[in-house]
Amino acid sequence: MRQQDVQNRERKMGNRQILVVTYCFVALFLAMVLYITRFMVRDSADIINNSYNKRQEVLAKKVKRGDIVSADGKVLAKTITDKHGNDTRYYPYKNMFCHAVGRITNSMTGVELSQCYPLLTSHANPAEQLFSDFKGEKKPGDNVITTLDYKLQKTAYNALGSYKGAVVAMEPSTGKILAMVSKPDYDPNNVSKDWSKLISGNSTESALLNRATQGLYPPGSTFKIMTATEYILENQDIYKKYRYVCKGSDSFYGNRIRCYAGERHGEVDLRRAFAKSCNCSFADIGLKLNVDKFRELCEKFNFNKSLSVNFDYKKSSFVLNRKSDKYEVMQTSIGQGKTGITPLENVLISSTIANDGKMMTPYIVDHTENDAGKTVKSYSPKKIGNIIDKKTAGTVKKLMKAVVSEGTGTALNGFSYKAAGKTGSAEFNSKGNSHAWFVGFAPADKPKIAVSIVVEAAGTGNRYAVPIAKAMFSEYLGN
């Protein structure tokens, strides 16, 4: 009996080991199936879309790259085939869309890069594809329809003129990018010819850089949107009682803060301080904030974080923490200090206020379609999150309306609708030179467009950035 018990125990142990091995193989098999499924559904297009993937060269031999089209039907990029069968990528509007649409020569960028695989994929009628194969011709690639508005893009491009800088316009409720301009620019039709000049180490133009998404700037007084929001959140019951007497400059803990041009604003509440962009009062407000909560709010607004977008961008940077000294706290609160922001981030902030505290993911491609106009794939709006509550967003919106009605943005008065916004003059060197900023939206009560504008080394926001916003609002919404 004892020997039989031993044999039974050994048999059970053997069975258990077999089960363990079986379960391990089943687990590995399921993991492999899950990985393959995930790859096919989510990752395969990204890998094929990688500019280093040799499969693109194979596709390009069989498929004629599709068109890139604006939301209002303008062809922004197309492929021209000569009588010898050679393809040339052509950009009808040259410099105007160069950063948003991108290029395929000397490395791909913009929509050309993010949508390379769809553009080299054909969903033409099977009979048409078979006929193309029979004739030895390339199949027609799918077309990419963007969210870009041609007229708005043209208005922004012309309004920025010869200045360096960037303009971004977005639909607050969806995240659709309506316009994206960056200057200096270049003609994507002549990249090969101009390449040496474009990448020259002696050049300070950086024309290849998309300043709208990759340019980091001090935000200047546009950052007072963030400072005011945090102050309201921390002082829900008493922020309306805030008072400060501005004498044009003031000393805080031995550090001098000055308002622009030494302007004396007199006694101000939060509304007037924001509308007049009073540096002294906002330095005072900054010193009253909980720095940890302030950082938490900024990071909710996507500072120091990655965005789920399919175009190149840089993270905006907020470095203030509890170890920061009081001078840095004050400088940060008025939009100076070490904060770095992209025009894209600034339009996200403005859009979130416009959209009752909900931040949407920015996107630039609406859908793809085959050569017959049948939709292949659509892209829907995606919410990043509820960043602040509707009540707080409404309060900040009132402050931004006051900027236009009685503050530094009064040049935006006169429309049949109300606009809202915040100007900024961001000093970037010891000589006091400044970038001109404006962020805002319209109509103020039912926003359809939000803009972010920076004009490099120009001066004040109300003089150089606000007129660009005015032209864009007028084009998109009328007068």
Side-chain angles (χ1 to χ4, degrees):
M1 284 294 290
R2 291 181 180 177
Q3 186 175 358
Q4 188 173 358
D5 289 342
V6 171
Q7 290 176 345
N8 288 337
R9 281 199 299 270
E10 289 177 349
R11 191 180 301 111
K12 289 180 179 179
M13 288 179 64
N15 290 340
R16 191 177 296 117
Q17 290 173 348
I18 292 171
L19 285 172
V20 169
V21 172
T22 302
Y23 289 149
C24 287
F25 273 103
V26 170
L28 287 171
F29 176 76
L30 291 175
M32 189 179 298
V33 171
L34 181 63
Y35 172 78
I36 292 172
T37 302
R38 177 183 173 184
F39 176 82
M40 294 301 294
V41 173
R42 198 189 74 172
D43 298 334
S44 60
D46 291 337
I47 292 173
I48 295 171
N49 205 58
N50 189 297
S51 57
Y52 293 103
N53 194 318
K54 295 297 182 181
R55 185 173 176 184
Q56 290 182 16
E57 296 179 11
V58 176
L59 290 172
K61 292 176 181 178
K62 298 179 179 180
V63 178
K64 181 178 179 179
R65 195 178 186 91
D67 295 346
I68 298 175
V69 185
S70 71
D72 43 351
K74 300 290 186 179
V75 176
L76 309 179
K78 63 181 179 180
T79 298
I80 297 176
T81 304
D82 64 20
K83 61 182 180 181
H84 302 293
N86 299 313
D87 289 342
T88 300
R89 197 64 167 167
Y90 176 62
Y91 303 91
Y93 299 102
K94 301 180 180 180
N95 304 44
M96 191 187 302
F97 289 89
C98 65
H99 294 98
V101 170
R103 64 179 188 274
I104 64 170
T105 305
N106 291 63
S107 76
M108 285 187 287
T109 61
V111 175
E112 291 278 34
L113 173 61
S114 68
Q115 298 297 304
C116 184
Y117 180 50
L119 288 164
L120 289 174
T121 301
S122 181
H123 285 90
N125 183 286
E128 183 181 351
Q129 293 194 50
L130 186 63
F131 187 65
S132 295
D133 287 336
F134 181 75
K135 292 179 64 179
E137 297 177 347
K138 291 183 178 181
K139 305 176 186 69
D142 292 344
N143 300 322
V144 171
I145 314 303
T146 70
T147 60
L148 297 166
D149 183 293
Y150 167 76
K151 290 182 179 179
L152 190 64
Q153 180 87 2
K154 183 179 180 180
T155 298
Y157 185 85
N158 291 339
L160 188 54
S162 60
Y163 284 103
K164 297 178 183 179
V167 180
V168 187
M170 196 170 93
E171 187 175 69
S173 61
T174 63
K176 287 183 180 180
I177 294 176
L178 305 172
M180 182 183 286
V181 172
S182 176
K183 291 190 177 184
D185 48 45
Y186 64 95
D187 185 347
N189 296 302
N190 299 326
V191 168
S192 294
K193 182 179 69 175
D194 298 338
W195 189 247
S196 296
K197 180 181 177 182
L198 289 170
I199 63 172
S200 171
N202 297 322
S203 174
T204 59
E205 296 296 291
S206 301
L208 296 175
L209 178 72
N210 185 354
R211 285 161 159 80
T213 63
Q214 297 173 288
L216 282 174
Y217 302 89
S221 291
T222 63
F223 194 73
K224 288 171 183 170
I225 296 173
M226 299 302 302
T227 306
T229 300
E230 180 57 32
Y231 183 72
I232 292 165
L233 287 169
E234 290 186 30
N235 300 275
Q236 292 280 359
D237 299 326
I238 63 170
Y239 73 86
K240 292 181 180 179
K241 298 179 181 179
Y242 176 79
R243 296 294 184 275
Y244 176 84
V245 178
C246 171
K247 300 176 182 178
S249 68
D250 205 346
S251 181
F252 302 87
Y253 299 95
N255 300 300
R256 179 66 59 177
I257 297 292
R258 293 178 174 82
C259 287
Y260 185 79
E263 184 178 356
R264 294 169 176 254
H265 297 112
E267 183 174 336
V268 295
D269 57 7
L270 182 60
R271 175 189 172 95
R272 180 172 170 78
F274 190 89
K276 298 296 184 180
S277 204
C278 177
N279 285 339
C280 294
S281 61
F282 267 83
D284 175 62
I285 288 171
L287 291 171
K288 300 178 189 298
L289 300 181
N290 180 311
V291 173
D292 287 339
K293 290 183 177 180
F294 195 14
R295 183 185 182 93
E296 183 181 331
L297 175 70
C298 289
E299 291 186 343
K300 285 179 70 176
F301 270 90
N302 269 324
F303 281 86
N304 306 328
K305 289 186 177 180
S306 298
L307 285 169
S308 297
V309 295
N310 58 0
F311 47 78
D312 290 333
Y313 72 97
K314 284 187 178 178
K315 295 179 185 178
S316 294
S317 174
F318 181 85
V319 300
L320 205 64
N321 57 54
R322 65 178 66 183
K323 295 181 180 179
S324 302
D325 61 34
K326 295 186 183 300
Y327 181 70
E328 188 176 352
V329 171
M330 290 187 294
Q331 287 291 309
T332 300
S333 299
I334 65 174
Q336 295 294 151
K338 300 175 183 177
T339 303
I341 194 169
T342 63
L344 177 67
E345 170 64 22
N346 235 350
V347 83
L348 281 175
I349 292 171
S350 180
S351 293
T352 301
I353 301 302
N355 197 34
D356 296 330
K358 296 185 289 291
M359 181 181 284
M360 306 301 292
T361 300
Y363 67 106
I364 200 167
V365 175
D366 185 77
H367 67 278
T368 58
E369 59 185 37
N370 67 9
D371 65 319
K374 183 179 179 180
T375 298
V376 174
K377 182 178 180 179
S378 294
Y379 295 86
S380 302
K382 294 181 180 178
K383 186 170 71 172
I384 293 176
N386 295 315
I387 309 302
I388 55 176
D389 62 275
K390 183 177 181 179
K391 181 180 178 182
T392 301
T395 300
V396 178
K397 186 184 293 186
K398 290 178 181 177
L399 297 181
M400 295 177 72
K401 289 169 69 174
V403 170
V404 174
S405 63
E406 61 198 64
T408 56
T410 52
L412 291 173
N413 282 322
F415 290 124
S416 59
Y417 47 86
K418 300 292 183 183
K422 185 72 191 79
T423 60
S425 303
E427 293 185 5
F428 61 91
N429 61 24
S430 59
K431 298 178 182 179
N433 295 329
S434 61
H435 303 312
W437 275 103
F438 177 80
V439 297
F441 47 86
D445 296 321
K446 292 184 178 180
K448 295 180 180 179
I449 179 175
V451 299
S452 172
I453 300 159
V454 62
V455 188
E456 291 184 14
T460 61
N462 63 333
R463 183 173 180 180
Y464 292 96
V466 168
I468 298 174
K470 186 173 185 177
M472 294 178 72
F473 289 160
S474 179
E475 170 57 44
Y476 198 69
L477 302 171
N479 294 317

